[in-house]
Amino acid sequence: MSHNSFGHLFRVTTWGESHGPAIGCVVDGLPPGLSFTQGDIQDLLDKRRPGQSRFTTQRREPDEVKVLSGVVEGPNLGELISTGTPIALEIQNVDQRSKDYANIAQSYRPGHADIAYDMKYGLRDHRGGGRSSARETACRVAAGALARLVVPGVTIRGALVQIGADRIDRANWDWDEVSNNPFFCPDREAAARWEGLLDGVRKSGSSVGAVIEIVAENVPAGLGAPLYGKLDADIAANLMSINAVKGVEIGEGFAAAELSGEDNADEIRNGPDGKPVFLSNHAGGILGGISTGQPIVARFAVKPTSSILTPRRSIDANGQEVDVMTKGRHDPCVGIRAVPIGEAMIACALADHALRHRGQTGR
Amino acid sequence: MSHNSFGHLFRVTTWGESHGPAIGCVVDGLPPGLSFTQGDIQDLLDKRRPGQSRFTTQRREPDEVKVLSGVVEGPNLGELISTGTPIALEIQNVDQRSKDYANIAQSYRPGHADIAYDMKYGLRDHRGGGRSSARETACRVAAGALARLVVPGVTIRGALVQIGADRIDRANWDWDEVSNNPFFCPDREAAARWEGLLDGVRKSGSSVGAVIEIVAENVPAGLGAPLYGKLDADIAANLMSINAVKGVEIGEGFAAAELSGEDNADEIRNGPDGKPVFLSNHAGGILGGISTGQPIVARFAVKPTSSILTPRRSIDANGQEVDVMTKGRHDPCVGIRAVPIGEAMIACALADHALRHRGQTGR
Amino acid sequence: MSHNSFGHLFRVTTWGESHGPAIGCVVDGLPPGLSFTQGDIQDLLDKRRPGQSRFTTQRREPDEVKVLSGVVEGPNLGELISTGTPIALEIQNVDQRSKDYANIAQSYRPGHADIAYDMKYGLRDHRGGGRSSARETACRVAAGALARLVVPGVTIRGALVQIGADRIDRANWDWDEVSNNPFFCPDREAAARWEGLLDGVRKSGSSVGAVIEIVAENVPAGLGAPLYGKLDADIAANLMSINAVKGVEIGEGFAAAELSGEDNADEIRNGPDGKPVFLSNHAGGILGGISTGQPIVARFAVKPTSSILTPRRSIDANGQEVDVMTKGRHDPCVGIRAVPIGEAMIACALADHALRHRGQTGR
Amino acid sequence: MSHNSFGHLFRVTTWGESHGPAIGCVVDGLPPGLSFTQGDIQDLLDKRRPGQSRFTTQRREPDEVKVLSGVVEGPNLGELISTGTPIALEIQNVDQRSKDYANIAQSYRPGHADIAYDMKYGLRDHRGGGRSSARETACRVAAGALARLVVPGVTIRGALVQIGADRIDRANWDWDEVSNNPFFCPDREAAARWEGLLDGVRKSGSSVGAVIEIVAENVPAGLGAPLYGKLDADIAANLMSINAVKGVEIGEGFAAAELSGEDNADEIRNGPDGKPVFLSNHAGGILGGISTGQPIVARFAVKPTSSILTPRRSIDANGQEVDVMTKGRHDPCVGIRAVPIGEAMIACALADHALRHRGQTGR
């Protein structure tokens, strides 16, 4: 058991607070002989990096990752080869404005984790949320970059499908659009609407929630386990472990409750290559906790951040009733940057289960 | 790691198939000195037991639990006292009609786990779903009865809040109604409607999904951990590990995506006893992965069972294209019996975190 | 974490007390498609079974194992095929004379676990040692029988190499002798001496310690992990978890402290098949925590049982000073029956690491 | 599961190689509110630091530890207060002479882990032993410094009791002597002999083994668990995980095999304070896997290092037969520096079990 690790055979342990000297993680279980570069990790970190548009926090962090262990140099320039020993990744904290937090040091932001931390531990690092800061998610993205090496051939992509009450039109879904707008939105029209929506939220110092969808294609069949090592249960835990997430769905998700057995059944025929072909994917690629080879589809809901300019009633650490507003730099919609994080958490779940599958079956 | 266990300090390992001689579980971590009777477990098992109304499978299983270890006799009649050693619980399988399954032995039910099992393991026990049978959930309910001993004073109650597309009216919520109808429905009017709805589903050999809500009251503040041991992440995994579950929500869940930060913030005031009082509970009792003392609210969506009378296109284990229909006795809505199962999974998560909390804080 | 389980991918959870209705275990992680019979398990259980000579406890337990889950019937008579789901094994307790323990119910046997149990838990099942009874080891032997299926081709054999201060002469080592005497002794001359030695111990109601050696041949190279998943660390924990064990050695063990680097080095040459051949085996088959393909050699020391007829000074549960003697049926030398138990624990460690190796290397 | 972590509630994950930029560890589970300084860790690291006498490797590493997370500043100068979040510790590698290893890059040192690594992973970082280097043990010592905070009042001390075949005279045992000689030797006379012994070994480029004893006093009773979470089983695994260790003993250890039940029994009387007093400590403070409050006594045997100047027959990575000698700077007796490492591993085991005890008993 660990309260700061996840995964079993592909196991990630993260450490660090928002306003300490650095954050980092240890990736334990990357098989030997896998080739990558520091740039492979950096590219994914850059997707998550704050300050890239006016719709994310203006904190400027280069988020430059250092690989401290677990590799030898490969024959090509910058090539690293995993040795099978733990890979330590580290990212310096650069742009910390701790004074922004002076006024909330002792007051609890309604909807924020800080009161719960004090209830549990009796003390906490209040600067920038300390351990509860979304900054920790950079480690997940870095680990996810290594996880992708374990399941080569798999494509893991995420998209924002809803901001506030405004959902995309699935008929417009175009993966190529995702990189054309600051929202990872696959629907060009929705993205255009969201610019206005988010500008309004941002200017009023408010915040708004979102829904993210992750799709993993070419996942081998057979990953997972029947009951408590279900692939979807691990995906649910991985996604729910991301800050501000309040709901997780696989395939049809909550909509499955409204279907009849006839409509929900993904019928099967033989494909041209003799392999089974499913005629639909209500299951989201997982049956009985085990992948079927269909695309894995997972969604998660992110609540609006609790750091807002409008004063809300609260108390402080001394039990005095106060009004709290947050002046620090924050994301008006943390759901946006949750897209690469969600991809990373799915990648880690798949890597772990790909390695476990070998042990489970002895093959 | 185990693929058939869950929890860490309160740890449950289940075993058994639908059509073997018995099913059972080992509950490891129940603290010593706790008092209970076999009847305490049996009462909860009886809530889940099939064949109690025409809306659940007609399989007749007494589901009589035996306590095989981990206890000494207490001074009162039938009283058992836990010794701190593992408690083995066992339930005989009685009413097995394996011949019902002869026709689906080799064909894969669309939407069912059986094709995934074959993909993973290369073989499976096809009788009654084998290990993927919902029969396994009896063990969860039995373990949950012991879990409740670990967190005394906590009230854990579940209710069915939606069948198909028909949701309850929350204004009608009355916990006392839950035991007055065969659906665990807290809304008397909805329960009346559901009788007709389910009769239709049952008679046509179809099936339908559902949504269950579990509420845990008087949970101590401080249970959980910031990131990968989040109480809500463990609840999500526990609920997603129940057969047929496709979605999980905490508090507002997916609806939180539509809220503004102002609306989502649960404001705080001082209560008459000087303790913090939250003015709302959008968070569902958990902030930053840690319980706050507010009621914990979790919901999960259950898909319609894949065992239906209408033939669906599929293949068999030899790759031949076939049509499949299921004649075995099945629940038209497995969501109904999922209510006590969901309660048990929440109880187990709370018991585990209550014990972990002591280790985490050294208190 | 579990306090009653061991192993990771091949994971065994045991339950049960000496004087409850039954004992048993759940073996989680046996890969699918492995063939065995109930008799394969029974044969190994019979080696450990008490009452087979005058040198072990006269308690008569048939120790008949039942396989309750995780298998389907194979094509041959009595053949079982593993399905990859957990295998529950159960053994009824038959010959329980609880009254033998009435006089020690409240008094602590010096050298026995019972005072420690009370210190920890505040209560215990005093009948026959309860959970601390060596009876639990029957479950280990049963699990070990399944573990051997995971590493086919490996030969795991144990022998008693010392009783009291009397050691075998290694020049006399003959594996065939092991089944020719009631001590699992590979040295015919030592076995002859031990008959007299043990008769003396037994008749005086005393007890004596022993040393057991386990040798595993044809173990594949590469099992283990560099630091905290060292194969020898897991072997050490597995053996130390057996009742009454006070020391564990790998290869030269404590004698390695007396060697020079030159003498301890196992030199390497190429064998006729081009594979490396070690010219000695001081390492006991493990270097840096990883198997090398040489025979794995482990030894463990068993203390004399604390159940003796000679009164020893002690206290009772009320803090009164008393003299304690034990009248129950006990082994004069528990080390004898520890031989098949040690084999089983090594088999389980190898099975676990064989499965882990696949996950670690992705091969 | 992790191959680079140990402990459950007090969990340490280490990373890094001998010749990378740094080594480090993440300590997960230190309870909140504990006070310490960087110096507290540094003092223990300095005990283990190489190059402090002519009897350890001449590699010069300041081994300066940095605390990167998991703390807030306390009111006193340099005071750090744990927050309950993971503590990342990092130590830069400074004095790396990789060229020393050029000649053994491709050849396997007999008795060394490098051939086993290649057998497992197919590649390795050969510089300075890579991950198998004893340099990793600095992380253990640092983690052990934090572990001691969890069990205040406990005294954990280690001593070298044997070098080669030369054992201390236990009648001379004086803890104060341990810091008076470069061997952590409690026997002044033995220490004097060892100077000559080790000078001979060192000058001839040879190496020699040793035995270390660790004693933990004032350990609370009740730590541990009956079977697979035995305190002594975890101590055995922790000690066996230290490089070059080949044997572990608790209390009498292997000598217990030679005792009769009468002699081995630690008789019990009431002490002046009404608490039980044991009249001897053959058990080494642990009965049935659970601490009794007596001093915990553990010993472990360290083999002679395989890095010696005398050529030994071996092969290289291409399968060519070669002679190997090691020119790098090495300890003639790695057992010396193993003393603080052993202390640390015992401290970690006690911290873990102290936290687990709370969860096990619900107290």
Side-chain angles (χ1 to χ4, degrees):
Chain A
M1 179 168 49
S2 162
H3 302 104
N4 291 283
S5 303
F6 65 99
H8 291 269
L9 285 175
F10 185 87
R11 187 165 179 84
V12 180
T13 300
T14 78
W15 55 267
E17 283 84 32
S18 174
H19 285 61
I23 58 174
C25 65
V26 182
V27 177
D28 190 8
L30 190 70
L34 297 176
S35 166
F36 64 100
T37 68
Q38 204 137 328
D40 294 339
I41 308 174
Q42 198 63 53
D43 288 349
L44 288 164
L45 275 175
D46 288 348
K47 280 182 70 176
R48 179 207 153 277
R49 191 153 49 87
Q52 301 195 96
S53 80
R54 67 182 185 277
F55 304 113
T56 57
T57 173
Q58 295 306 302
R59 178 170 171 162
R60 301 266 164 198
E61 288 285 359
D63 277 357
E64 200 174 316
V65 68
K66 281 189 293 182
V67 180
L68 295 179
S69 68
V71 293
V72 290
E73 291 181 11
N76 300 313
L77 183 65
E79 187 184 17
L80 301 172
I81 311 281
S82 64
T83 60
T85 59
I87 297 185
L89 302 173
E90 195 169 300
I91 299 169
Q92 302 298 312
N93 285 330
V94 173
D95 181 18
Q96 311 153 16
R97 291 201 208 149
S98 298
K99 65 181 183 316
D100 284 350
Y101 297 94
N103 67 322
I104 55 162
Q106 297 298 325
S107 300
Y108 301 124
R109 281 166 282 180
H112 194 275
D114 45 20
I115 191 171
Y117 272 54
D118 268 6
M119 283 168 161
K120 181 172 195 81
Y121 297 114
L123 84 167
R124 74 198 143 91
D125 184 349
H126 63 264
R127 296 165 301 160
R131 185 68 178 148
S132 69
S133 165
R135 182 144 182 72
E136 185 266 354
T137 56
C139 299
R140 303 176 186 226
V141 172
L146 298 181
R148 289 171 190 247
L149 303 172
V150 180
V151 283
V154 174
T155 303
I156 303 169
R157 291 184 293 194
L160 206 63
V161 297
Q162 180 182 337
I163 288 187
D166 189 353
R167 302 180 190 200
I168 62 160
D169 180 349
R170 288 187 168 259
N172 293 341
W173 193 296
D174 179 356
W175 280 113
D176 291 337
E177 280 301 319
V178 163
S179 54
N180 286 340
N181 60 70
F183 307 109
F184 302 107
C185 178
D187 171 359
R188 180 199 296 254
E189 294 172 21
R193 291 195 306 269
W194 291 353
E195 291 226 10
L197 192 160
L198 257 285
D199 269 331
V201 168
R202 182 173 59 85
K203 286 172 184 166
S204 65
S206 182
S207 65
V208 69
V211 176
I212 293 93
E213 180 165 320
I214 312 287
V215 181
E217 292 166 288
N218 301 320
V219 174
L223 308 192
L227 292 167
Y228 306 109
K230 276 188 156 85
L231 179 56
D232 36 0
D234 282 351
I235 286 175
N238 275 15
L239 295 178
M240 196 68 93
S241 79
I242 301 173
N243 312 47
V245 172
K246 300 303 284 185
V248 178
E249 294 182 322
I250 305 293
E252 285 291 333
F254 277 84
E258 307 192 10
L259 294 180
S260 69
E262 291 77 11
D263 290 340
N264 186 62
D266 298 318
E267 294 186 296
I268 314 170
R269 295 280 89 171
N270 278 326
D273 60 352
K275 288 190 183 168
V277 171
F278 293 86
L279 307 184
S280 56
N281 190 17
H282 298 290
I286 302 175
L287 287 171
I290 297 169
S291 65
T292 61
Q294 282 196 288
I296 289 177
V297 181
R299 268 180 307 284
F300 59 103
V302 174
K303 71 177 181 184
T305 176
S306 50
S307 298
I308 50 177
L309 274 173
T310 307
R312 308 307 293 166
R313 289 175 288 174
S314 186
I315 59 171
D316 65 18
N318 302 318
Q320 297 301 307
E321 298 193 337
V322 293
D323 278 6
V324 174
M325 57 179 287
T326 315
K327 286 186 186 154
R329 298 154 299 172
H330 294 287
D331 290 285
C333 176
V334 285
I336 299 172
R337 289 166 58 205
V339 173
I341 302 164
E343 290 175 358
M345 296 308 284
I346 299 288
C348 289
L350 293 176
D352 190 34
H353 276 280
L355 297 175
R356 287 160 74 170
H357 181 61
R358 292 187 170 83
Q360 287 168 287
T361 56
R363 288 193 298 260
Chain B
M1 180 169 48
S2 161
H3 302 102
N4 291 283
S5 304
F6 65 100
H8 290 270
L9 285 176
F10 185 87
R11 186 165 180 85
V12 180
T13 301
T14 77
W15 56 268
E17 284 84 33
S18 174
H19 285 62
I23 58 173
C25 65
V26 183
V27 177
D28 189 9
L30 191 70
L34 297 175
S35 167
F36 65 100
T37 68
Q38 204 137 329
D40 295 336
I41 308 174
Q42 198 63 52
D43 288 349
L44 288 164
L45 275 174
D46 288 348
K47 280 183 69 175
R48 178 208 155 276
R49 193 153 49 88
Q52 301 195 96
S53 80
R54 66 184 186 275
F55 305 113
T56 57
T57 174
Q58 294 308 300
R59 178 170 172 162
R60 300 269 165 196
E61 289 285 359
D63 278 356
E64 201 175 316
V65 68
K66 283 189 291 183
V67 180
L68 295 180
S69 66
V71 294
V72 291
E73 290 180 11
N76 300 313
L77 184 65
E79 186 185 18
L80 302 173
I81 312 280
S82 64
T83 60
T85 60
I87 297 185
L89 303 174
E90 196 169 299
I91 299 168
Q92 302 298 313
N93 285 330
V94 174
D95 181 16
Q96 310 152 17
R97 293 201 206 149
S98 298
K99 65 182 183 316
D100 283 349
Y101 297 93
N103 68 322
I104 55 160
Q106 298 299 324
S107 300
Y108 301 124
R109 281 166 282 179
H112 194 276
D114 46 20
I115 190 170
Y117 272 55
D118 269 6
M119 283 168 161
K120 181 171 195 83
Y121 297 114
L123 84 167
R124 74 200 143 89
D125 184 349
H126 64 264
R127 298 164 301 160
R131 184 69 177 148
S132 68
S133 166
R135 182 146 181 70
E136 184 266 354
T137 57
C139 299
R140 303 175 186 228
V141 172
L146 300 180
R148 288 169 191 248
L149 303 172
V150 180
V151 283
V154 174
T155 304
I156 303 170
R157 293 183 291 194
L160 206 63
V161 297
Q162 179 181 336
I163 290 187
D166 190 353
R167 303 179 190 201
I168 64 160
D169 180 349
R170 288 184 169 260
N172 294 341
W173 192 298
D174 179 356
W175 280 112
D176 290 337
E177 280 300 318
V178 163
S179 55
N180 287 341
N181 60 70
F183 308 109
F184 303 107
C185 178
D187 171 0
R188 181 199 294 254
E189 294 173 22
R193 292 194 306 270
W194 291 353
E195 291 228 10
L197 191 160
L198 258 284
D199 268 332
V201 168
R202 184 173 59 85
K203 287 172 183 166
S204 64
S206 182
S207 64
V208 69
V211 176
I212 294 95
E213 180 165 320
I214 312 289
V215 180
E217 291 166 289
N218 301 321
V219 174
L223 307 192
L227 292 167
Y228 305 109
K230 276 187 154 86
L231 178 56
D232 38 359
D234 281 352
I235 287 176
N238 275 15
L239 295 178
M240 195 68 93
S241 78
I242 302 173
N243 313 46
V245 173
K246 301 303 283 186
V248 178
E249 292 182 324
I250 305 293
E252 285 292 334
F254 277 84
E258 307 193 9
L259 294 180
S260 68
E262 289 77 11
D263 290 341
N264 186 63
D266 297 319
E267 294 186 295
I268 315 170
R269 294 281 87 172
N270 277 326
D273 60 352
K275 287 191 184 168
V277 171
F278 292 86
L279 307 185
S280 56
N281 190 16
H282 299 290
I286 302 174
L287 287 172
I290 297 169
S291 65
T292 61
Q294 283 196 288
I296 290 177
V297 181
R299 270 180 307 284
F300 58 103
V302 174
K303 71 177 182 184
T305 175
S306 50
S307 299
I308 51 177
L309 274 174
T310 307
R312 308 308 292 167
R313 290 174 289 174
S314 185
I315 59 173
D316 65 18
N318 303 316
Q320 296 302 306
E321 297 192 338
V322 293
D323 279 4
V324 174
M325 56 179 288
T326 315
K327 286 185 188 156
R329 299 153 297 172
H330 294 286
D331 290 285
C333 177
V334 284
I336 299 172
R337 289 166 59 207
V339 174
I341 303 164
E343 290 175 358
M345 295 309 283
I346 299 287
C348 289
L350 292 177
D352 190 33
H353 277 279
L355 297 175
R356 286 159 75 170
H357 181 62
R358 293 186 171 83
Q360 287 168 286
T361 56
R363 291 194 295 264
Chain C
M1 177 169 49
S2 162
H3 302 103
N4 292 283
S5 304
F6 65 100
H8 290 270
L9 286 175
F10 185 87
R11 185 164 181 85
V12 179
T13 301
T14 78
W15 56 267
E17 283 82 33
S18 173
H19 285 61
I23 57 173
C25 65
V26 183
V27 177
D28 190 8
L30 191 70
L34 297 175
S35 167
F36 64 100
T37 69
Q38 203 136 329
D40 294 338
I41 308 175
Q42 198 62 54
D43 288 350
L44 289 164
L45 275 174
D46 288 349
K47 281 182 69 175
R48 177 207 155 277
R49 194 153 49 88
Q52 301 194 98
S53 79
R54 67 184 184 276
F55 304 113
T56 57
T57 174
Q58 294 308 297
R59 177 170 172 162
R60 300 268 166 197
E61 289 286 358
D63 277 355
E64 200 175 315
V65 67
K66 282 189 292 183
V67 180
L68 295 180
S69 67
V71 293
V72 291
E73 291 181 10
N76 301 312
L77 185 65
E79 186 185 18
L80 301 172
I81 311 280
S82 63
T83 61
T85 60
I87 296 185
L89 303 173
E90 196 169 301
I91 300 168
Q92 302 298 312
N93 284 331
V94 174
D95 180 16
Q96 311 151 18
R97 292 200 206 150
S98 298
K99 65 183 185 310
D100 283 351
Y101 297 93
N103 68 322
I104 56 162
Q106 298 299 323
S107 300
Y108 302 124
R109 282 166 283 179
H112 193 275
D114 46 20
I115 191 171
Y117 272 53
D118 269 5
M119 283 169 161
K120 182 172 195 80
Y121 296 115
L123 84 168
R124 75 200 143 90
D125 184 351
H126 64 264
R127 297 165 301 161
R131 184 69 178 147
S132 70
S133 165
R135 181 144 182 71
E136 185 267 354
T137 57
C139 298
R140 304 176 186 227
V141 173
L146 299 181
R148 289 169 191 248
L149 303 173
V150 180
V151 283
V154 174
T155 304
I156 304 170
R157 293 184 290 195
L160 206 63
V161 298
Q162 179 180 337
I163 288 187
D166 190 353
R167 303 178 190 203
I168 62 160
D169 180 348
R170 287 183 168 262
N172 294 343
W173 193 297
D174 179 356
W175 280 113
D176 290 337
E177 281 300 318
V178 164
S179 54
N180 286 342
N181 59 70
F183 308 109
F184 302 107
C185 178
D187 171 1
R188 180 199 295 255
E189 295 173 21
R193 294 194 305 271
W194 292 352
E195 292 226 12
L197 191 160
L198 258 284
D199 269 332
V201 169
R202 183 172 60 86
K203 287 172 183 164
S204 65
S206 182
S207 64
V208 69
V211 176
I212 295 95
E213 181 166 319
I214 312 288
V215 180
E217 292 166 289
N218 301 321
V219 174
L223 306 193
L227 293 167
Y228 305 109
K230 275 186 155 86
L231 178 56
D232 36 0
D234 282 351
I235 286 175
N238 274 15
L239 295 177
M240 195 67 94
S241 78
I242 301 173
N243 312 44
V245 172
K246 300 303 282 186
V248 177
E249 292 182 323
I250 306 292
E252 286 292 333
F254 277 84
E258 307 193 9
L259 294 180
S260 69
E262 290 77 11
D263 289 340
N264 187 62
D266 297 318
E267 295 186 296
I268 315 170
R269 295 280 86 174
N270 278 325
D273 60 353
K275 287 190 185 169
V277 171
F278 293 86
L279 307 184
S280 56
N281 189 17
H282 298 289
I286 302 175
L287 287 171
I290 296 169
S291 65
T292 61
Q294 283 195 290
I296 290 177
V297 181
R299 269 180 308 282
F300 59 103
V302 175
K303 69 177 183 184
T305 176
S306 50
S307 298
I308 50 178
L309 274 173
T310 308
R312 311 306 295 168
R313 290 175 289 174
S314 185
I315 59 172
D316 66 18
N318 302 315
Q320 297 301 307
E321 297 193 337
V322 294
D323 278 6
V324 174
M325 57 178 288
T326 314
K327 287 186 184 156
R329 301 154 297 172
H330 295 284
D331 289 285
C333 176
V334 284
I336 299 172
R337 288 165 60 208
V339 173
I341 302 164
E343 290 175 358
M345 295 309 282
I346 299 286
C348 289
L350 293 176
D352 190 34
H353 276 280
L355 297 176
R356 286 160 74 169
H357 181 61
R358 292 186 171 83
Q360 287 169 285
T361 56
R363 291 193 296 261
Chain D
M1 176 170 50
S2 162
H3 302 103
N4 291 284
S5 303
F6 64 100
H8 291 269
L9 286 176
F10 185 87
R11 187 164 179 84
V12 180
T13 301
T14 78
W15 56 267
E17 283 84 32
S18 173
H19 285 60
I23 59 174
C25 65
V26 182
V27 177
D28 190 9
L30 190 70
L34 298 175
S35 167
F36 64 100
T37 67
Q38 203 137 329
D40 294 338
I41 309 175
Q42 197 64 52
D43 288 350
L44 288 163
L45 275 175
D46 289 348
K47 280 182 69 174
R48 179 208 154 276
R49 192 152 51 87
Q52 301 194 98
S53 80
R54 67 183 186 275
F55 304 113
T56 57
T57 173
Q58 295 307 299
R59 176 170 173 163
R60 300 268 166 195
E61 288 285 359
D63 277 357
E64 200 175 314
V65 69
K66 281 189 294 184
V67 180
L68 294 180
S69 68
V71 293
V72 290
E73 291 181 11
N76 301 313
L77 184 65
E79 187 184 17
L80 301 173
I81 311 279
S82 65
T83 60
T85 60
I87 297 186
L89 302 173
E90 195 169 301
I91 300 169
Q92 302 297 313
N93 285 330
V94 174
D95 180 16
Q96 311 152 17
R97 292 199 206 151
S98 298
K99 66 183 185 310
D100 283 351
Y101 297 93
N103 68 320
I104 56 162
Q106 298 300 323
S107 300
Y108 301 123
R109 280 167 283 179
H112 193 275
D114 46 20
I115 191 170
Y117 272 54
D118 268 6
M119 283 169 161
K120 182 172 194 77
Y121 297 113
L123 85 168
R124 75 197 142 91
D125 184 350
H126 63 264
R127 296 164 301 160
R131 184 70 177 147
S132 69
S133 164
R135 180 141 183 73
E136 186 267 352
T137 57
C139 298
R140 304 176 185 228
V141 172
L146 299 181
R148 289 170 191 247
L149 304 173
V150 180
V151 282
V154 174
T155 304
I156 304 170
R157 292 184 291 194
L160 206 63
V161 298
Q162 180 182 336
I163 288 187
D166 189 351
R167 303 179 189 201
I168 63 159
D169 180 347
R170 286 181 171 264
N172 293 342
W173 193 296
D174 179 354
W175 280 114
D176 290 337
E177 280 300 318
V178 164
S179 55
N180 286 341
N181 60 69
F183 308 110
F184 303 106
C185 178
D187 171 0
R188 181 199 294 254
E189 294 172 21
R193 293 195 307 270
W194 291 353
E195 291 226 10
L197 191 159
L198 258 285
D199 269 332
V201 168
R202 182 173 60 86
K203 286 173 183 163
S204 65
S206 182
S207 65
V208 69
V211 176
I212 293 94
E213 181 165 318
I214 312 287
V215 180
E217 291 166 289
N218 302 321
V219 174
L223 307 193
L227 292 167
Y228 305 110
K230 275 188 156 87
L231 179 56
D232 38 359
D234 282 351
I235 286 175
N238 275 14
L239 295 177
M240 195 67 95
S241 79
I242 301 173
N243 311 46
V245 172
K246 301 303 284 185
V248 178
E249 293 182 324
I250 305 292
E252 285 292 334
F254 277 84
E258 307 192 11
L259 295 180
S260 69
E262 290 76 11
D263 290 339
N264 186 62
D266 298 318
E267 294 185 298
I268 315 172
R269 294 282 86 174
N270 278 325
D273 60 353
K275 288 189 182 169
V277 171
F278 293 86
L279 306 184
S280 56
N281 190 16
H282 298 290
I286 302 175
L287 287 171
I290 296 170
S291 64
T292 61
Q294 282 196 289
I296 290 177
V297 181
R299 271 180 306 283
F300 59 103
V302 174
K303 70 178 182 184
T305 176
S306 50
S307 298
I308 50 177
L309 273 173
T310 308
R312 310 307 293 168
R313 289 175 290 174
S314 185
I315 59 171
D316 66 17
N318 302 315
Q320 296 301 307
E321 297 192 336
V322 293
D323 278 6
V324 174
M325 57 179 287
T326 314
K327 287 184 184 156
R329 299 155 297 171
H330 294 286
D331 289 285
C333 176
V334 284
I336 299 171
R337 288 166 60 207
V339 173
I341 303 165
E343 291 174 358
M345 295 309 283
I346 299 288
C348 289
L350 292 176
D352 190 34
H353 277 279
L355 297 176
R356 287 159 74 170
H357 181 61
R358 294 188 169 81
Q360 286 169 287
T361 56
R363 289 193 297 262

